[in-house]
Amino acid sequence: MDAYDLITRNVSEVVTDEEVRALADSPDGKRAYVGYEPSGVLHIGHMLTANKLIELQEAGFEVVVLLADVHAYLNDKGTFEEIRETATRMQEQFVAYGLEESQTEFVLGSEFQLDEEYILDLHALELETSLSRAERAMAEIASGDGATVAQAVYPLMQALDIVYLDVDLAIGGMEQRKVHMLARDALPSIDADAPTCLHTPLIADLTTGVGKMSSSEGLSLSMEDSESDIEEKVNKAYCPPTADPDPTDDGEERENPVLQIFEYHVFPRFGEVVVERPEKYGGDLIYDAYADLEADLESGELHPADAKGALATYLNDLIAPGREKIREQRN
Ligand code: IYR
């Protein structure tokens, strides 16, 4: 795969395509980053953007992971001490997941976000941004109801991080897109370039296929799940024989989360998928491309129960090193 294909594989959106093509022309030494609010354990959403970071490392990018402790504090995720402690644990889990430690720069937000120069630039952005714009940018990120002043400051800091970390490409899930659009509009006012952005898809709710999987509601998959937790959850997943299911009776869009996880997690990390089946049911199926697995599910050649069985096995392989790390961290 060439650099452009690696960068754009499995993404929902790039802003802009022209800018990404320019990066792909000379990716070596270019810097890409994702920021995460530190939390106790990695969940499948963290792992999805991490897959993209691993692909970018393959394409020659330098990768920066921001452990956004100040952002987590502003988003009411705990005391500063608690957040700091989870940041260290999260870093270790990312390395266990497969981010090359020697090629990944882990940065704690508070290492630079409390410097005078950063704060003054932040105030300059505050002058340029309406409260309603900041609030809209946070609609899919903010926790709790009712916006706080802290939540209005948050997206402006996220914009400024792009400048202070000197990155060429900002990455996030689709829920980050409005923050990035704000960054593109606001950063030129402090003489910084509008950043190039890449957004990864969101995995749908596991049991309904509606909306997005969330660690606060419904079933979510995380590194602390045991093998049997994963098997049970995947078993309960919504998996009609199509990648494009009909909407619900209320007109809500549905996705097939089992196929999404194959597409965004399993194929990128394993390349090939073997679905084990007894001889009497036709024997093993071997796929070296996601599209073939999807086509077989749609045609009925691959039964949803067999697809789920294989998915649980691969997911368990993916999280095994992280699960082991969490066990160590708790001892
Ligand atoms: N908003 C992210 C966390 C975050 C991301 C970046 I990129 C930053 O520069 C700072 C924070 C979240 O929702 O987890």
Side-chain angles (χ1 to χ4, degrees), residues 21-298:
R21 284 185 190 279
L23 286 177
D25 281 344
S26 55
D28 281 327
K30 291 286 184 331
R31 285 161 68 81
Y33 99 122
V34 183
Y36 302 95
E37 291 182 22
S39 69
V41 287
L42 295 199
H43 58 63
I44 195 152
H46 298 122
M47 295 181 233
L48 209 155
T49 40
N51 292 342
K52 180 50 65 186
L53 292 178
I54 292 168
E55 280 172 331
L56 289 175
Q57 286 181 329
E58 277 170 40
F61 275 75
E62 284 173 18
V63 160
V64 181
V65 171
L66 173 69
L67 300 164
D69 54 351
V70 178
H71 284 85
Y73 182 71
L74 292 173
N75 205 11
D76 203 16
K77 298 294 171 64
T79 67
F80 214 72
E81 286 66 38
E82 286 161 354
I83 292 166
R84 273 278 174 84
E85 211 189 296
T86 47
T88 315
R89 282 191 252 138
M90 195 180 208
Q91 174 169 339
E92 291 174 349
Q93 291 166 28
F94 272 120
V95 172
Y97 184 64
L99 274 179
E100 243 335 295
E101 200 164 17
S102 59
Q103 288 179 46
T104 310
E105 192 186 330
F106 287 95
V107 183
L108 205 55
S110 55
E111 281 171 34
F112 64 95
Q113 291 161 343
L114 304 173
D115 292 352
E116 184 176 327
E117 199 192 345
Y118 182 99
I119 301 283
L120 282 172
D121 275 338
L122 175 61
H123 292 331
L125 290 180
E126 289 162 1
L127 282 170
E128 291 298 320
T129 311
S130 72
L131 262 178
S132 62
R133 176 90 198 255
E135 216 180 302
R136 266 185 284 136
M138 288 298 284
E140 292 180 51
I141 298 174
S143 49
D145 351 285
T148 57
V149 173
Q151 286 173 359
V153 171
Y154 180 120
L156 302 181
M157 288 181 58
Q158 188 165 334
L160 214 47
D161 293 344
I162 299 167
V163 181
Y164 277 76
L165 293 171
D166 195 19
V167 289
D168 304 286
L169 182 63
I171 297 165
M174 279 297 275
E175 80 286 357
Q176 308 293 323
R177 73 179 303 281
K178 287 190 178 163
V179 175
H180 286 156
M181 295 306 135
L182 171 57
R184 285 183 67 91
D185 289 343
L187 288 178
S189 73
I190 59 161
D191 292 328
D193 293 334
T196 305
C197 308
L198 180 161
H199 302 128
T200 55
L202 302 173
I203 305 272
D205 178 77
L206 201 59
T207 52
T208 63
V210 174
K212 66 165 182 153
M213 194 187 289
S214 128
S215 44
S216 52
E217 286 164 55
L219 288 184
S220 72
L221 300 163
S222 87
M223 270 192 179
E224 68 182 338
D225 287 331
S226 67
E227 291 198 8
S228 58
D229 291 339
I230 295 282
E231 279 161 24
E232 277 170 36
K233 290 180 185 181
V234 170
N235 247 326
K236 289 187 190 145
Y238 174 69
C239 185
T242 172
D244 194 14
D246 289 335
T248 64
D249 294 343
D250 301 332
E252 286 177 298
E253 292 287 325
R254 281 195 210 255
E255 305 278 347
N256 181 327
V258 171
L259 285 179
Q260 287 183 315
I261 299 170
F262 270 117
E263 184 172 16
Y264 305 135
H265 286 277
V266 179
F267 279 95
R269 293 298 303 279
F270 294 94
E272 180 188 87
V273 167
V274 180
V275 179
E276 291 183 6
R277 284 193 315 193
E279 275 315 317
K280 66 174 173 177
Y281 296 123
D284 293 354
L285 292 164
I286 300 174
Y287 299 103
D288 56 19
Y290 163 74
D292 299 336
L293 184 148
E294 180 190 303
D296 272 8
L297 187 83
E298 295 195 334

